[in-house]
Amino acid sequence: MQYRTLGTSDIQVSLLCLGTMTWGEQNTEAEAYSQLDMAVDHGINFIDTAELYPVPPRAETQGRTETYLGNWLARRGRRDDLVIATKAAGPGLEHIRGGPRLDRAHLEQALHDSLQRLQTDYVDLYQIHWPMRSTNYFGKLGYEHQPEADDTPIVETLAVLGDMVKAGKVRTIGISNETPWGLMAYLRVAEGQNLPRIVSIQNPYNLLNRSFEVGLAEMAHREQVGLLAYSPMAFGALSGKYLESPPADGRLTLFSRFSRYSGDTGVAATRAYVEIARRHGLSPAQMALAFVNSRSFLTSNIIGATRLEQLEENIASLEITLSQAVLEEIESVHQRHTIPCP
Ligand code: NAP
C-alpha cells in the first residue's frame, strides 16, 4: 500500500480509502465487518462515511453505516491506527434535522450524533458533504447565478469547524461536491480569519466524469488540497457488467433513481473504455481504478464494494500500471466523450 499526506496536515492516508455507503442497505453489518477486516489487512487505514449513509438515503436507515463502523471500531480497538472521515449533510433531506443547514446548531448536532454512532471522541477528517448555495454539483453543468438561494455563509461554517478542531473533536476538515470558487472561498476565509485550512476535496472522479481536471486539479496541486475521488467505477458501470446482462443485485438495477451513469452517452463511453481494457487483457474494473490511482492530483481513491471478491479485485488495482498505449487510447476516448456523466 502507498500512503499520501492529507493536505497540509501530518496525517498519512492510504492511496485507497474504503467507502462505506452500501452498509445498512445493500450490505449487512457482518458484511461491513468482513470488508473492514480485508481492507485493513491490505494496509488501508482510511475509511470514509457520512451521517446520511447508507444510500439511497432514507429516514429508517439513516446513521446505520456509522453505527456499523462504530461497532467494529469498538470491538477492534486501536482507534488511532485509522483515519476516520465522516460528513455533515448539506441542505435538502428533510429527515435529517428537518433539513440540514451548515450553521452552528446543525453542525454541532451532526458531529455529536456522528461521534456517538462511531463510538469515538474525535474524527480525523470532518467534511461538508455538499454546499449551502445554488451551484454546480451532483451532475449540474449549466450555471445560473442565484445569490438569493445562498444560506449559511462559508465564514460561519468555517468558524464552527474551527471550534471543533480547537475542542479536539475534529483533527482536519474538508469539503465535498465543491467548485473552484467554493474551494478558494474556504481557503481565503481561513487565511483571513486564522481558521483551519481545508485539507481535501471529495468530488466525483472517474473515466466518465473528469470534470475535476477543468478547474480543480491545478488547485489540488497549488493549494495542497488533494482529491479524494468518489465513485471511481461510476457506480460499478465501468466494470462493464451493465452492458450485456445487468446483474439483478447491482446498484444500478436495484435503484433506478441512480441515473447519473446510465444515459446513452455514458453507456457509449463505457463501451469504448471496456473495449480498451479487453484489448489489453485488463479487467475493465481494474483499469478504471488504476486510472484514478495514477492521477497526480489524487490523495486517495475511495473504492466501494458490495462483495469481498469485488473488494479484493479493487484493492489489486494498485498492482496495475497502465501502459502508455492504454493511456493514449483512454485519452482518445476522452476527446470524443468528454465528461459524458457530470
Ligand atoms: P464506485 O466504485 O463507483 O461503485 C462501487 C460499486 O460498484 C460497488 O458497491 C458495487 O456495486 C460495484 N462494484 C465495485 N467493484 C466492482 C467490481 N470489481 N466489479 C463489478 N462491480 C463492482 O464507488 P461508490 O460506491 O459510488 O463510491 C465509493 C465511496 O465514495 C462511497 O462508499 C462513499 O464513501 C463515497 N461517496 C461520496 C459521495 C459524496 O457525495 N461525497 C458520493 C458517492 C460516494 P454493486 O455490487 O451493487 O454493483
Side-chain angles (χ1 to χ4, degrees):
M1 182 59 62
Q2 295 173 44
Y3 297 86
R4 298 219 169 135
T5 306
L6 189 58
T8 48
S9 78
D10 57 1
I11 299 176
Q12 295 292 308
V13 292
S14 43
L15 184 57
L16 298 183
C17 170
L18 183 65
T20 63
M21 72 182 195
T22 54
W23 307 351
E25 186 66 60
Q26 278 179 277
N27 286 120
T28 63
E29 184 159 2
E31 288 167 346
Y33 291 2
S34 307
Q35 288 191 18
L36 281 158
D37 290 339
M38 179 184 271
V40 170
D41 280 351
H42 282 85
I44 291 180
N45 72 345
F46 192 18
I47 300 157
D48 178 70
T49 189
E51 65 164 335
L52 85 76
Y53 293 168
V55 297
R58 298 193 282 136
E60 307 78 62
T61 55
Q62 188 252 323
R64 262 192 207 165
T65 310
E66 285 185 329
T67 300
Y68 292 179
L69 175 56
N71 291 343
W72 178 85
L73 283 171
R75 279 201 198 176
R76 175 183 182 270
R78 288 172 289 139
R79 160 74 183 86
D80 296 354
D81 291 0
L82 298 168
V83 179
I84 305 292
T86 192
K87 314 181 196 83
L93 298 177
E94 292 300 306
H95 67 270
I96 301 179
R97 295 183 296 281
R101 302 187 55 199
L102 301 178
D103 60 13
R104 181 168 295 275
H106 277 265
L107 288 176
E108 285 181 349
Q109 188 65 51
L111 180 65
H112 174 268
D113 294 348
S114 286
L115 290 175
Q116 279 211 325
R117 286 188 291 263
L118 291 166
Q119 300 180 53
T120 179
D121 45 19
Y122 68 96
V123 292
D124 299 276
L125 173 64
Y126 199 42
Q127 304 159 103
I128 299 299
H129 208 150
W130 61 91
M132 190 104 220
R133 58 183 201 283
S134 166
T135 186
N136 291 6
Y137 59 94
F138 292 150
K140 189 162 177 278
L141 273 185
Y143 181 75
E144 294 149 44
H145 193 52
Q146 295 178 302
E148 66 285 0
D150 290 358
D151 199 303
T152 319
I154 285 173
V155 62
E156 184 177 334
T157 302
L158 201 53
V160 185
L161 295 174
D163 288 343
M164 291 171 169
V165 172
K166 254 191 227 152
K169 293 179 180 177
V170 164
R171 288 178 77 197
T172 59
I173 58 169
I175 51 176
S176 179
N177 297 299
E178 261 295 1
T179 66
W181 183 84
L183 192 156
M184 286 314 285
Y186 272 94
L187 293 176
R188 189 181 60 222
V189 172
E191 205 169 307
Q193 311 217 8
N194 201 21
L195 287 166
R197 208 173 188 280
I198 51 163
V199 295
S200 57
I201 173 165
Q202 179 176 150
N203 271 25
Y205 185 77
N206 55 57
L207 287 170
L208 303 181
N209 180 0
R210 292 170 56 181
S211 54
F212 191 84
E213 291 172 44
V214 179
L216 287 162
E218 181 183 7
M219 290 193 189
H221 279 288
R222 292 190 192 275
E223 303 295 338
Q224 280 181 277
V225 177
L227 170 65
L228 306 181
Y230 81 66
S231 297
M233 211 183 287
F235 275 20
L238 286 165
S239 69
K241 67 186 178 183
Y242 293 97
L243 293 176
E244 277 97 41
S245 42
D249 60 353
R251 185 188 301 171
L252 297 180
T253 315
L254 292 173
F255 311 112
S256 53
R257 59 179 280 189
F258 291 141
S259 54
R260 194 171 191 173
Y261 302 106
S262 315
D264 290 348
T265 48
V267 171
T270 300
R271 213 175 275 289
Y273 288 120
V274 168
E275 274 167 19
I276 298 175
R278 300 238 158 96
R279 233 185 350 266
H280 290 269
L282 295 165
S283 128
Q286 287 186 326
M287 185 186 88
L289 296 183
F291 178 78
V292 177
N293 297 342
S294 67
R295 300 300 91 186
S296 65
F297 44 81
L298 181 82
T299 295
S300 191
N301 180 2
I302 314 178
I303 55 172
T306 58
R307 300 188 199 178
L308 286 184
E309 307 87 83
Q310 293 174 350
L311 187 57
E312 201 160 16
E313 182 178 16
N314 299 350
I315 293 173
S317 69
L318 282 177
E319 290 154 26
I320 292 180
T321 305
L322 299 179
S323 67
Q324 201 49 39
V326 170
L327 288 170
E328 278 167 20
E329 288 183 41
I330 286 176
E331 280 316 304
S332 111
V333 173
H334 180 55
Q335 292 306 313
R336 280 185 282 130
H337 300 283
T338 309
I339 318 183
C341 305

